[in-house]
Amino acid sequence: MNNKKQMTKFGFIVSSLGAAIGLGVIWGLPGYINKNGGFYFFLIYIVAMLIVGVPLLIFEFNLGNLRRKSVINIFDKENVCFSKFVGWFQSTLMIIIPIYYAVLVGYTVISIGIEFSPTLISNVNGNVFNRQILQHVGFGVTNNGGFQWIVFLAFLFVVLLVGLVLLFGIKGIEKLNKVFMPLLFLIILVLAIYILTVPGSSQGLATLFLVENLEKLKQSQTWSSVFSLAFFTTSLGMGMMMRFAGVGPHNQDNASKAYLLVIGILFLSITNLIFIFGASGAIVNNLISDKNNISLFQEQITNKFGNDSMVFVFNVLPETFHIINQNTVIGFGNFLGILFFLALFIAGLSTTVGNVEVIVDAIETQYDISNQKVICGICVTIIVVGLSLVFENTYQLINSFQLLAAGLDLILVSLSQIIFFVWYAKKLSIIINYNNQVSWIKIGKLYQFMMRYLIPLILVIIVGFSVYDFIISCTVNAWYISVLAFVLGILIPILVAVFNSYYGKKKIKEEIK
């Protein structure tokens, strides 16, 4: 890892933002808010980001910047066996997560294509993505088992592009992020301001504050979803932030960058929520006679776009740009839509590249295999396994993977790192001292209390909720969905971690002899 090119300060910030934001903030957050409690869900999300997200980002940034090692070697000074096991469990997730994440990034590619076909949106009267791309009656699904051929082609394009980026260097992604991350922020800010001028937008926003949304806070799924999303949108537990910090400038101000990252995510989250829910209200406005009845707006939004967090945003956005197109100059809405989805595509691609690079780095560190073979092997694996996600009846697997690999597993990784580094090795003082040497924002007793007691307690409770929610989901989903999610999301990462930790320890002993 030491021989890799360093990022610039600005490159580190935009790359971290690109990797953290990805599709989580734009796709995940509105969908989960629509399903799990509206604005009250978002309030808990903010608390989770501040109480758990910021301290853990400070931990990962400082540890990565100090140690400057692969994720499978980051804890070698404390315990090689633990370092290898957790590092490989973490790295294996970086194959599992991109399998479904590349499908979602492919959705942005499809959405760009939809913007070139404005008549398609009006012909299906909204909900174009769900009806035409994912469902059997649409042109994107064949009769043979409901194979979603458009989704597969977009998914294949994304995986091949990820492979090419990794083969020919990631500096291009850093340069693209420097352009498209600010552009994404600017586009969403402009759209959020504009949509507030459209009739029905205020009622759409008001649906977030309906009192009945409070009832959903009594469900364990709401709480596990909040923290899973907080981990996912900050890329905590993935190893990416440690790795970015490891190739970032030496002795950088890590605490300030952690706060800056979270502030950027929250700012984008708020403006995006204004845009998405304001737009959903504007879209259904003509269907409602009593404009003061917010419950009717909620009912119509659910009827039109469904309550599926998976595709809620991808159904709302095409019709939103169609409305902008109608209310302004013809073609302007489509132009904005293309820019928006292109910027979102770059953000999602950045996340996918960062994920895959973690496992590439791990394999290169422990095994004598060429970079080209590793990258090609991983891409082929993602394509083969990803075939399970492009059928009409299996796309719900993405929810299961989100719950396990991008939720429960990431929380377990962070929890195990805290227990080991803070409680077992008693090395928290190293992080605190290093941070206070290089960072403007100092940490001390409050940070110690949070890392020793508060955060582990919260994570243990959320792990319990997540396990319970997955068990419940097994009774709802088809048996093969639950089995495949468990095998790929839990069993395989554990087996890979056990094998490689044993192999790594054996290799070290042989080198000593």
Short mmCIF file of all heavy atoms in Angstrom, two decimals, residues 189-244:
data_model
loop_
_atom_site.label_atom_id
_atom_site.label_comp_id
_atom_site.label_asym_id
_atom_site.label_seq_id
_atom_site.Cartn_x
_atom_site.Cartn_y
_atom_site.Cartn_z
N LEU A 189 -29.22 21.06 -5.46
CA LEU A 189 -29.60 22.32 -4.80
C LEU A 189 -30.53 23.13 -5.69
O LEU A 189 -31.57 23.64 -5.23
CB LEU A 189 -28.34 23.12 -4.45
CG LEU A 189 -28.58 24.48 -3.78
CD1 LEU A 189 -29.32 24.30 -2.45
CD2 LEU A 189 -27.25 25.20 -3.56
N VAL A 190 -30.17 23.27 -6.97
CA VAL A 190 -31.01 24.03 -7.91
C VAL A 190 -32.37 23.37 -8.08
O VAL A 190 -33.42 24.04 -8.08
CB VAL A 190 -30.29 24.15 -9.28
CG1 VAL A 190 -31.24 24.73 -10.33
CG2 VAL A 190 -29.05 25.02 -9.16
N LEU A 191 -32.38 22.05 -8.21
CA LEU A 191 -33.64 21.33 -8.38
C LEU A 191 -34.52 21.44 -7.14
O LEU A 191 -35.75 21.56 -7.24
CB LEU A 191 -33.38 19.86 -8.70
CG LEU A 191 -32.79 19.57 -10.09
CD1 LEU A 191 -32.40 18.10 -10.21
CD2 LEU A 191 -33.79 19.94 -11.18
N ALA A 192 -33.90 21.40 -5.95
CA ALA A 192 -34.66 21.52 -4.70
C ALA A 192 -35.32 22.89 -4.60
O ALA A 192 -36.48 23.00 -4.18
CB ALA A 192 -33.74 21.28 -3.50
N ILE A 193 -34.59 23.93 -4.99
CA ILE A 193 -35.15 25.29 -4.97
C ILE A 193 -36.26 25.43 -6.01
O ILE A 193 -37.33 25.97 -5.72
CB ILE A 193 -34.04 26.33 -5.22
CG1 ILE A 193 -33.02 26.32 -4.06
CG2 ILE A 193 -34.63 27.73 -5.38
CD1 ILE A 193 -31.79 27.16 -4.31
N TYR A 194 -36.02 24.90 -7.21
CA TYR A 194 -37.01 25.02 -8.28
C TYR A 194 -38.30 24.27 -7.95
O TYR A 194 -39.41 24.79 -8.15
CB TYR A 194 -36.44 24.49 -9.60
CG TYR A 194 -37.50 24.33 -10.66
CD1 TYR A 194 -37.97 25.43 -11.37
CD2 TYR A 194 -38.06 23.08 -10.94
CE1 TYR A 194 -38.97 25.30 -12.33
CE2 TYR A 194 -39.05 22.94 -11.89
CZ TYR A 194 -39.50 24.05 -12.58
OH TYR A 194 -40.49 23.91 -13.53
N ILE A 195 -38.17 23.06 -7.42
CA ILE A 195 -39.36 22.22 -7.21
C ILE A 195 -40.30 22.86 -6.20
O ILE A 195 -41.51 22.60 -6.21
CB ILE A 195 -38.96 20.79 -6.78
CG1 ILE A 195 -40.04 19.77 -7.22
CG2 ILE A 195 -38.73 20.69 -5.28
CD1 ILE A 195 -40.14 19.59 -8.70
N LEU A 196 -39.77 23.70 -5.30
CA LEU A 196 -40.62 24.36 -4.31
C LEU A 196 -41.57 25.37 -4.95
O LEU A 196 -42.56 25.78 -4.32
CB LEU A 196 -39.75 25.07 -3.26
CG LEU A 196 -38.95 24.15 -2.32
CD1 LEU A 196 -38.07 24.97 -1.40
CD2 LEU A 196 -39.88 23.26 -1.50
N THR A 197 -41.30 25.76 -6.19
CA THR A 197 -42.17 26.70 -6.90
C THR A 197 -43.29 26.00 -7.65
O THR A 197 -44.19 26.66 -8.18
CB THR A 197 -41.35 27.55 -7.90
OG1 THR A 197 -40.86 26.70 -8.95
CG2 THR A 197 -40.17 28.22 -7.21
N VAL A 198 -43.26 24.68 -7.70
CA VAL A 198 -44.25 23.90 -8.45
C VAL A 198 -45.43 23.56 -7.53
O VAL A 198 -45.22 23.10 -6.40
CB VAL A 198 -43.62 22.62 -9.03
CG1 VAL A 198 -44.66 21.82 -9.82
CG2 VAL A 198 -42.43 22.96 -9.91
N PRO A 199 -46.69 23.76 -7.96
CA PRO A 199 -47.85 23.42 -7.12
C PRO A 199 -47.84 21.96 -6.68
O PRO A 199 -47.57 21.07 -7.47
CB PRO A 199 -49.04 23.70 -8.07
CG PRO A 199 -48.52 24.71 -9.03
CD PRO A 199 -47.07 24.37 -9.24
N GLY A 200 -48.12 21.75 -5.41
CA GLY A 200 -48.17 20.40 -4.84
C GLY A 200 -46.91 19.98 -4.13
O GLY A 200 -46.91 19.00 -3.37
N SER A 201 -45.81 20.72 -4.36
CA SER A 201 -44.53 20.33 -3.74
C SER A 201 -44.57 20.46 -2.22
O SER A 201 -44.03 19.61 -1.50
CB SER A 201 -43.40 21.16 -4.32
OG SER A 201 -43.60 22.54 -4.07
N SER A 202 -45.20 21.53 -1.72
CA SER A 202 -45.26 21.72 -0.27
C SER A 202 -46.07 20.62 0.39
O SER A 202 -45.74 20.15 1.49
CB SER A 202 -45.86 23.10 0.07
OG SER A 202 -47.16 23.22 -0.48
N GLN A 203 -47.13 20.17 -0.28
CA GLN A 203 -47.93 19.05 0.26
C GLN A 203 -47.13 17.76 0.23
O GLN A 203 -47.25 16.92 1.14
CB GLN A 203 -49.23 18.90 -0.53
CG GLN A 203 -50.25 20.00 -0.31
CD GLN A 203 -50.08 21.15 -1.29
OE1 GLN A 203 -49.00 21.37 -1.81
NE2 GLN A 203 -51.17 21.88 -1.54
N GLY A 204 -46.32 17.58 -0.82
CA GLY A 204 -45.46 16.39 -0.86
C GLY A 204 -44.48 16.37 0.29
O GLY A 204 -44.26 15.31 0.92
N LEU A 205 -43.89 17.52 0.60
CA LEU A 205 -42.99 17.61 1.75
C LEU A 205 -43.73 17.39 3.06
O LEU A 205 -43.19 16.80 4.00
CB LEU A 205 -42.29 18.98 1.76
CG LEU A 205 -41.20 19.19 0.73
CD1 LEU A 205 -40.73 20.65 0.73
CD2 LEU A 205 -40.02 18.28 1.01
N ALA A 206 -44.97 17.88 3.12
CA ALA A 206 -45.75 17.75 4.36
C ALA A 206 -46.05 16.29 4.70
O ALA A 206 -46.28 15.96 5.88
CB ALA A 206 -47.06 18.53 4.23
N THR A 207 -46.04 15.40 3.68
CA THR A 207 -46.30 13.98 3.97
C THR A 207 -45.22 13.39 4.88
O THR A 207 -45.45 12.40 5.55
CB THR A 207 -46.36 13.16 2.67
OG1 THR A 207 -45.10 13.24 1.97
CG2 THR A 207 -47.47 13.67 1.75
N LEU A 208 -44.04 14.01 4.88
CA LEU A 208 -42.97 13.53 5.74
C LEU A 208 -43.29 13.71 7.22
O LEU A 208 -42.75 13.02 8.08
CB LEU A 208 -41.66 14.26 5.42
CG LEU A 208 -41.03 14.01 4.04
CD1 LEU A 208 -39.84 14.94 3.84
CD2 LEU A 208 -40.60 12.57 3.90
N PHE A 209 -44.19 14.67 7.52
CA PHE A 209 -44.45 15.05 8.91
C PHE A 209 -45.77 14.50 9.43
O PHE A 209 -46.21 14.90 10.52
CB PHE A 209 -44.44 16.58 9.04
CG PHE A 209 -43.14 17.21 8.65
CD1 PHE A 209 -42.91 17.62 7.34
CD2 PHE A 209 -42.13 17.38 9.58
CE1 PHE A 209 -41.71 18.19 6.97
CE2 PHE A 209 -40.92 17.96 9.22
CZ PHE A 209 -40.70 18.36 7.91
N LEU A 210 -46.41 13.62 8.68
CA LEU A 210 -47.67 13.04 9.14
C LEU A 210 -47.47 12.30 10.47
O LEU A 210 -46.49 11.57 10.66
CB LEU A 210 -48.22 12.07 8.09
CG LEU A 210 -48.80 12.73 6.82
CD1 LEU A 210 -49.11 11.66 5.77
CD2 LEU A 210 -50.05 13.52 7.15
N VAL A 211 -48.41 12.49 11.39
CA VAL A 211 -48.29 11.92 12.74
C VAL A 211 -48.24 10.39 12.69
O VAL A 211 -47.54 9.76 13.50
CB VAL A 211 -49.48 12.39 13.62
CG1 VAL A 211 -49.42 11.73 15.00
CG2 VAL A 211 -49.47 13.90 13.77
N GLU A 212 -48.96 9.80 11.73
CA GLU A 212 -48.98 8.33 11.66
C GLU A 212 -47.60 7.74 11.36
O GLU A 212 -47.36 6.55 11.59
CB GLU A 212 -49.99 7.85 10.62
CG GLU A 212 -49.92 8.52 9.28
CD GLU A 212 -50.95 9.63 9.13
OE1 GLU A 212 -51.19 10.35 10.13
OE2 GLU A 212 -51.51 9.76 8.04
N ASN A 213 -46.69 8.57 10.85
CA ASN A 213 -45.32 8.09 10.62
C ASN A 213 -44.62 7.70 11.91
O ASN A 213 -43.69 6.88 11.91
CB ASN A 213 -44.49 9.15 9.90
CG ASN A 213 -44.88 9.31 8.44
OD1 ASN A 213 -45.34 8.36 7.81
ND2 ASN A 213 -44.68 10.49 7.88
N LEU A 214 -45.06 8.31 13.03
CA LEU A 214 -44.45 8.00 14.33
C LEU A 214 -44.65 6.55 14.72
O LEU A 214 -43.84 5.98 15.46
CB LEU A 214 -45.02 8.93 15.40
CG LEU A 214 -44.54 10.38 15.37
CD1 LEU A 214 -45.39 11.24 16.31
CD2 LEU A 214 -43.07 10.47 15.75
N GLU A 215 -45.74 5.95 14.25
CA GLU A 215 -46.03 4.55 14.58
C GLU A 215 -44.93 3.62 14.10
O GLU A 215 -44.66 2.58 14.72
CB GLU A 215 -47.37 4.14 13.98
CG GLU A 215 -48.59 4.78 14.62
CD GLU A 215 -48.73 4.37 16.08
OE1 GLU A 215 -48.60 3.15 16.36
OE2 GLU A 215 -48.98 5.24 16.93
N LYS A 216 -44.29 4.00 12.99
CA LYS A 216 -43.25 3.13 12.41
C LYS A 216 -41.98 3.11 13.26
O LYS A 216 -41.14 2.22 13.09
CB LYS A 216 -42.94 3.57 10.99
CG LYS A 216 -44.13 3.41 10.05
CD LYS A 216 -43.83 3.87 8.64
CE LYS A 216 -45.06 3.71 7.74
NZ LYS A 216 -44.83 4.17 6.37
N LEU A 217 -41.84 4.09 14.15
CA LEU A 217 -40.66 4.12 15.03
C LEU A 217 -40.72 3.03 16.08
O LEU A 217 -39.73 2.77 16.77
CB LEU A 217 -40.52 5.49 15.69
CG LEU A 217 -40.37 6.70 14.77
CD1 LEU A 217 -40.06 7.95 15.58
CD2 LEU A 217 -39.27 6.46 13.73
N LYS A 218 -41.88 2.39 16.23
CA LYS A 218 -42.02 1.30 17.19
C LYS A 218 -41.50 -0.02 16.63
O LYS A 218 -41.40 -1.01 17.35
CB LYS A 218 -43.50 1.14 17.58
CG LYS A 218 -44.09 2.35 18.27
CD LYS A 218 -45.57 2.14 18.57
CE LYS A 218 -46.19 3.38 19.21
NZ LYS A 218 -47.65 3.19 19.47
N GLN A 219 -41.18 -0.03 15.33
CA GLN A 219 -40.74 -1.26 14.68
C GLN A 219 -39.21 -1.38 14.73
O GLN A 219 -38.50 -0.40 14.48
CB GLN A 219 -41.22 -1.28 13.22
CG GLN A 219 -42.72 -1.18 13.06
CD GLN A 219 -43.15 -1.01 11.62
OE1 GLN A 219 -42.33 -1.03 10.71
NE2 GLN A 219 -44.45 -0.85 11.40
N SER A 220 -38.71 -2.56 15.02
CA SER A 220 -37.26 -2.78 15.08
C SER A 220 -36.61 -2.54 13.72
O SER A 220 -35.46 -2.09 13.63
CB SER A 220 -36.96 -4.21 15.56
OG SER A 220 -37.48 -5.17 14.65
N GLN A 221 -37.35 -2.82 12.64
CA GLN A 221 -36.80 -2.65 11.29
C GLN A 221 -36.43 -1.20 11.03
O GLN A 221 -35.45 -0.92 10.34
CB GLN A 221 -37.82 -3.11 10.26
CG GLN A 221 -37.31 -3.03 8.82
CD GLN A 221 -38.35 -3.45 7.81
OE1 GLN A 221 -39.51 -3.62 8.14
NE2 GLN A 221 -37.94 -3.60 6.56
N THR A 222 -37.20 -0.26 11.59
CA THR A 222 -36.89 1.16 11.41
C THR A 222 -35.53 1.50 11.99
O THR A 222 -34.71 2.17 11.35
CB THR A 222 -37.98 2.02 12.08
OG1 THR A 222 -39.24 1.76 11.45
CG2 THR A 222 -37.66 3.50 11.94
N TRP A 223 -35.26 1.00 13.18
CA TRP A 223 -34.00 1.33 13.86
C TRP A 223 -32.81 0.64 13.21
O TRP A 223 -31.74 1.25 13.06
CB TRP A 223 -34.11 0.97 15.34
CG TRP A 223 -35.12 1.81 16.04
CD1 TRP A 223 -36.46 1.58 16.14
CD2 TRP A 223 -34.88 3.07 16.67
NE1 TRP A 223 -37.07 2.60 16.82
CE2 TRP A 223 -36.14 3.53 17.15
CE3 TRP A 223 -33.75 3.85 16.88
CZ2 TRP A 223 -36.27 4.74 17.85
CZ3 TRP A 223 -33.88 5.05 17.57
CH2 TRP A 223 -35.12 5.48 18.04
N SER A 224 -32.98 -0.62 12.83
CA SER A 224 -31.87 -1.30 12.16
C SER A 224 -31.60 -0.66 10.80
O SER A 224 -30.45 -0.54 10.37
CB SER A 224 -32.18 -2.80 11.99
OG SER A 224 -33.36 -3.00 11.24
N SER A 225 -32.67 -0.22 10.10
CA SER A 225 -32.50 0.44 8.81
C SER A 225 -31.76 1.77 8.94
O SER A 225 -30.93 2.12 8.10
CB SER A 225 -33.86 0.68 8.15
OG SER A 225 -34.50 -0.54 7.84
N VAL A 226 -32.06 2.51 10.00
CA VAL A 226 -31.41 3.80 10.23
C VAL A 226 -29.90 3.63 10.34
O VAL A 226 -29.13 4.31 9.66
CB VAL A 226 -31.95 4.49 11.51
CG1 VAL A 226 -31.01 5.61 11.95
CG2 VAL A 226 -33.33 5.06 11.26
N PHE A 227 -29.47 2.72 11.20
CA PHE A 227 -28.03 2.56 11.43
C PHE A 227 -27.34 1.86 10.27
O PHE A 227 -26.18 2.17 9.96
CB PHE A 227 -27.79 1.83 12.76
CG PHE A 227 -27.97 2.70 13.96
CD1 PHE A 227 -29.21 2.87 14.54
CD2 PHE A 227 -26.89 3.40 14.48
CE1 PHE A 227 -29.39 3.70 15.63
CE2 PHE A 227 -27.06 4.24 15.58
CZ PHE A 227 -28.31 4.39 16.16
N SER A 228 -28.04 0.92 9.63
CA SER A 228 -27.48 0.30 8.43
C SER A 228 -27.22 1.35 7.36
O SER A 228 -26.17 1.35 6.71
CB SER A 228 -28.43 -0.77 7.89
OG SER A 228 -28.56 -1.84 8.79
N LEU A 229 -28.19 2.26 7.20
CA LEU A 229 -28.05 3.32 6.20
C LEU A 229 -26.94 4.29 6.58
O LEU A 229 -26.20 4.78 5.72
CB LEU A 229 -29.37 4.06 6.05
CG LEU A 229 -29.56 4.87 4.78
CD1 LEU A 229 -29.48 3.98 3.54
CD2 LEU A 229 -30.90 5.61 4.80
N ALA A 230 -26.80 4.58 7.89
CA ALA A 230 -25.72 5.46 8.35
C ALA A 230 -24.36 4.86 8.02
O ALA A 230 -23.44 5.56 7.58
CB ALA A 230 -25.85 5.71 9.85
N PHE A 231 -24.21 3.55 8.22
CA PHE A 231 -22.95 2.88 7.89
C PHE A 231 -22.73 2.86 6.38
O PHE A 231 -21.63 3.11 5.89
CB PHE A 231 -22.96 1.45 8.43
CG PHE A 231 -22.41 1.33 9.83
CD1 PHE A 231 -23.14 1.81 10.91
CD2 PHE A 231 -21.18 0.77 10.06
CE1 PHE A 231 -22.64 1.72 12.20
CE2 PHE A 231 -20.67 0.66 11.34
CZ PHE A 231 -21.40 1.14 12.43
N PHE A 232 -23.82 2.58 5.65
CA PHE A 232 -23.71 2.45 4.19
C PHE A 232 -23.38 3.79 3.54
O PHE A 232 -22.54 3.85 2.64
CB PHE A 232 -25.04 1.91 3.65
CG PHE A 232 -24.98 1.55 2.19
CD1 PHE A 232 -24.14 0.55 1.74
CD2 PHE A 232 -25.79 2.19 1.28
CE1 PHE A 232 -24.09 0.21 0.39
CE2 PHE A 232 -25.76 1.85 -0.07
CZ PHE A 232 -24.91 0.86 -0.51
N THR A 233 -24.03 4.87 3.97
CA THR A 233 -23.81 6.17 3.34
C THR A 233 -22.48 6.80 3.72
O THR A 233 -22.03 7.74 3.05
CB THR A 233 -24.95 7.16 3.69
OG1 THR A 233 -25.10 7.22 5.11
CG2 THR A 233 -26.25 6.73 3.05
N THR A 234 -21.84 6.31 4.76
CA THR A 234 -20.50 6.81 5.13
C THR A 234 -19.41 5.80 4.77
O THR A 234 -18.23 6.07 5.00
CB THR A 234 -20.42 7.11 6.63
OG1 THR A 234 -20.89 5.99 7.38
CG2 THR A 234 -21.25 8.33 7.00
N SER A 235 -19.80 4.64 4.24
CA SER A 235 -18.85 3.56 3.88
C SER A 235 -18.06 3.06 5.09
O SER A 235 -16.94 2.59 4.96
CB SER A 235 -17.89 4.03 2.78
OG SER A 235 -18.57 4.28 1.59
N LEU A 236 -18.65 3.15 6.27
CA LEU A 236 -17.99 2.63 7.48
C LEU A 236 -17.98 1.11 7.45
O LEU A 236 -18.92 0.47 6.99
CB LEU A 236 -18.73 3.11 8.73
CG LEU A 236 -18.49 4.56 9.13
CD1 LEU A 236 -19.48 5.00 10.20
CD2 LEU A 236 -17.06 4.75 9.64
N GLY A 237 -16.91 0.52 7.96
CA GLY A 237 -16.79 -0.93 8.03
C GLY A 237 -16.39 -1.59 6.73
O GLY A 237 -16.14 -2.79 6.69
N MET A 238 -16.30 -0.81 5.63
CA MET A 238 -15.94 -1.38 4.34
C MET A 238 -14.43 -1.44 4.12
O MET A 238 -13.97 -2.14 3.23
CB MET A 238 -16.58 -0.56 3.21
CG MET A 238 -18.08 -0.59 3.17
SD MET A 238 -18.72 0.31 1.73
CE MET A 238 -20.48 0.21 2.02
N GLY A 239 -13.69 -0.66 4.88
CA GLY A 239 -12.25 -0.59 4.67
C GLY A 239 -11.84 0.51 3.70
O GLY A 239 -10.66 0.85 3.60
N MET A 240 -12.82 1.06 2.96
CA MET A 240 -12.50 2.09 1.97
C MET A 240 -11.94 3.36 2.62
O MET A 240 -11.00 3.95 2.10
CB MET A 240 -13.74 2.44 1.14
CG MET A 240 -14.03 1.49 0.03
SD MET A 240 -15.17 2.21 -1.18
CE MET A 240 -16.63 2.41 -0.17
N MET A 241 -12.55 3.78 3.72
CA MET A 241 -12.11 5.01 4.36
C MET A 241 -10.71 4.86 4.95
O MET A 241 -9.89 5.78 4.92
CB MET A 241 -13.11 5.45 5.42
CG MET A 241 -14.45 5.87 4.84
SD MET A 241 -14.25 7.12 3.54
CE MET A 241 -15.90 7.23 2.91
N MET A 242 -10.41 3.68 5.50
CA MET A 242 -9.05 3.42 5.97
C MET A 242 -8.07 3.46 4.81
O MET A 242 -6.97 4.02 4.93
CB MET A 242 -8.99 2.04 6.65
CG MET A 242 -9.65 1.97 8.01
SD MET A 242 -9.38 0.34 8.75
CE MET A 242 -10.36 0.47 10.24
N ARG A 243 -8.50 2.88 3.71
CA ARG A 243 -7.61 2.83 2.55
C ARG A 243 -7.39 4.21 1.95
O ARG A 243 -6.28 4.58 1.58
CB ARG A 243 -8.18 1.87 1.49
CG ARG A 243 -7.13 1.55 0.45
CD ARG A 243 -7.66 0.77 -0.71
NE ARG A 243 -6.56 0.53 -1.64
CZ ARG A 243 -6.04 1.45 -2.43
NH1 ARG A 243 -6.51 2.68 -2.40
NH2 ARG A 243 -5.03 1.17 -3.23
N PHE A 244 -8.46 5.00 1.81
CA PHE A 244 -8.32 6.36 1.29
C PHE A 244 -7.40 7.18 2.19
O PHE A 244 -6.55 7.94 1.70
CB PHE A 244 -9.69 7.05 1.20
CG PHE A 244 -10.52 6.61 0.03
CD1 PHE A 244 -11.89 6.72 0.05
CD2 PHE A 244 -9.93 6.08 -1.11
CE1 PHE A 244 -12.66 6.33 -1.03
CE2 PHE A 244 -10.68 5.67 -2.19
CZ PHE A 244 -12.05 5.80 -2.15
#
